[in-house]
């Protein structure tokens, strides 16, 4: 892990006692989603050298004032990120959908952070609202946090299609990666691939399977592919030649 080069406070919204913020069918609870997403973001950021503080790490109740107190106690905090999912008015399913990010007001570093996160979310193919950046000075954590602060609504848990996504581990990871990329961009820290990221091993296995099936990766006489061994220039040249031959270039 790199030495910390930025400080972020992640705020998983609500707590385990909140049973009201849920999907109409009761299969999704906002407090569980935000904690899971927060932990995913925490790992992605800390693996890339960011010092992360969580306002809660379990189901414990944490007041809005306490969340701000935690953030305001962190010296030189770069960004406060509150995590939520949205809800439309009424008690049933709604057609309202899409990701959005809330700020106390326009301009400054908070706007810079919001634009960077939004850009990465769009690049990841996540559906955003027609007005994805919303100014909301009435929101408590945005009003009372000293550092630049954003509040992210990760889609609507009152939309039947979106709640199906929000319950999926793969989609949560997709959100986390996009938002982590945006946060790192704001901090001026380059994104680096990390072999401990969920899904990396599956990608390695798929790549190895394709290479072996197509005769590019053949291993030694005992059939050992030696995946963790350094690659010589000679071996690299052979692999490149096999790929070129497979593609019909030679």
């Amino acid at each position: 892990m790199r030495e910390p080069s930025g400080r972020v406070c992640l705020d998983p919204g609500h707590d385990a006692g909140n049973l009201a913020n849920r999907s109409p069918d009761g299969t999704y609870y906002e407090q569980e989603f935000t904690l899971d997403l927060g932990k995913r973001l925490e790992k992605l950021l800390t693996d890339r050298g960011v010092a992360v503080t969580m306002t809660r790490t379990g189901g414990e109740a944490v007041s809005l004032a306490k969340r701000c107190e935690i953030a305001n106690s962190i010296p030189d905090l770069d960004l406060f990120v509150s995590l939520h999912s949205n809800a439309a008015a009424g008690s049933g399913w709604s057609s309202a959908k899409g990701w959005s990010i809330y700020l106390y007001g326009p301009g400054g570093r908070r706007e810079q952070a919001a634009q960077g996160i939004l850009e990465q979310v769009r690049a990841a193919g996540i559906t955003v609202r027609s007005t994805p950046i919303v100014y909301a000075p009435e929101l408590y954590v945005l009003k009372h946090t000293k550092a630049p602060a954003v509040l992210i609504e990760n889609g609507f848990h009152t939309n039947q299609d979106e709640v199906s996504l929000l319950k999926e581990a793969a989609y949560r990871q997709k959100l986390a990666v996009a938002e982590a990329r945006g946060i790192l961009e704001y901090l001026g820290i380059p994104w680096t691939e990390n072999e401990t990221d969920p899904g990396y091993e599956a990608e390695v296995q798929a790549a190895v399977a394709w290479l072996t099936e197509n005769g590019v990766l053949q291993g030694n006489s005992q059939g050992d592919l030696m995946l963790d061994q350094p690659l010589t220039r000679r071996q690299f040249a052979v692999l490149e030649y096999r790929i070129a031959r497979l593609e019909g270039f030679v």
Side-chain angles (χ1 to χ4, degrees), residues 3-248:
E3 288 298 315
S5 55
R7 292 178 173 84
V8 172
C9 182
L10 297 176
D11 174 44
H14 308 291
D15 57 68
N18 185 315
L19 302 179
N21 290 45
R22 63 181 182 87
S23 61
D25 62 359
T27 62
Y28 166 97
Y29 286 87
E30 184 178 358
Q31 55 85 14
E32 181 277 328
F33 164 78
T34 60
L35 182 59
D36 181 66
L37 182 62
K39 289 179 177 179
R40 292 172 186 271
L41 267 169
E42 179 186 27
K43 177 164 178 52
L44 290 167
L45 293 174
T46 55
D47 281 352
R48 290 161 179 83
V50 180
V52 176
T53 300
M54 299 273 282
T55 59
R56 71 179 178 99
T57 57
E60 68 274 15
V62 183
S63 69
L64 295 178
K66 181 63 177 177
R67 293 167 192 262
C68 295
E69 180 184 327
I70 292 169
N72 293 337
S73 69
I74 302 169
D76 302 317
L77 180 64
D78 292 296
L79 186 65
F80 174 87
V81 183
S82 192
L83 303 169
H84 293 264
S85 58
N86 216 336
S91 58
W93 296 110
S94 167
S95 60
K97 61 188 291 187
W99 183 99
S100 56
I101 189 165
Y102 288 66
L103 313 178
Y104 180 80
R109 296 187 69 207
R110 61 187 173 227
E111 181 99 37
Q112 180 186 346
Q115 291 286 359
I117 297 169
L118 171 61
E119 179 182 341
Q120 293 298 328
V121 166
R122 277 183 165 147
I126 294 164
T127 300
V128 302
R129 304 212 74 193
S130 56
T131 305
I133 295 181
V134 182
Y135 304 118
E138 74 282 359
L139 293 179
Y140 190 96
V141 294
L142 299 182
K143 183 176 182 179
H144 295 281
T145 303
K146 295 176 183 177
V150 299
L151 185 150
I152 299 175
E153 296 282 10
N154 291 275
F156 280 75
H157 59 249
T158 49
N159 180 287
Q160 201 160 11
D161 293 330
E162 279 198 329
V163 82
S164 295
L165 289 173
L166 292 171
K167 291 190 291 184
E168 291 180 1
Y171 186 74
R172 293 180 179 191
Q173 189 65 17
K174 183 177 182 178
L175 285 167
V177 168
E179 291 167 8
R181 282 179 175 270
I183 292 169
L184 289 172
E185 181 179 306
Y186 162 74
L187 295 174
I189 300 173
W191 175 268
T192 54
E193 293 299 335
N194 191 315
E195 293 186 10
T196 62
D197 286 349
Y200 179 83
E201 189 57 38
E203 190 173 18
V204 169
Q205 292 175 8
V208 170
W210 185 88
L211 289 168
T212 52
E213 287 169 8
N214 288 280
V216 176
L217 197 60
Q218 297 177 4
N220 60 21
S221 58
Q222 287 77 44
D224 184 0
L225 295 176
M226 301 175 290
L227 295 178
D228 296 318
Q229 298 298 314
L231 187 68
T232 67
R233 291 187 179 216
R234 183 188 297 271
Q235 291 168 330
F236 175 77
V238 171
L239 290 174
E240 285 290 299
Y241 177 77
R242 288 172 182 170
I243 292 174
R245 188 172 56 190
L246 183 65
E247 296 294 326

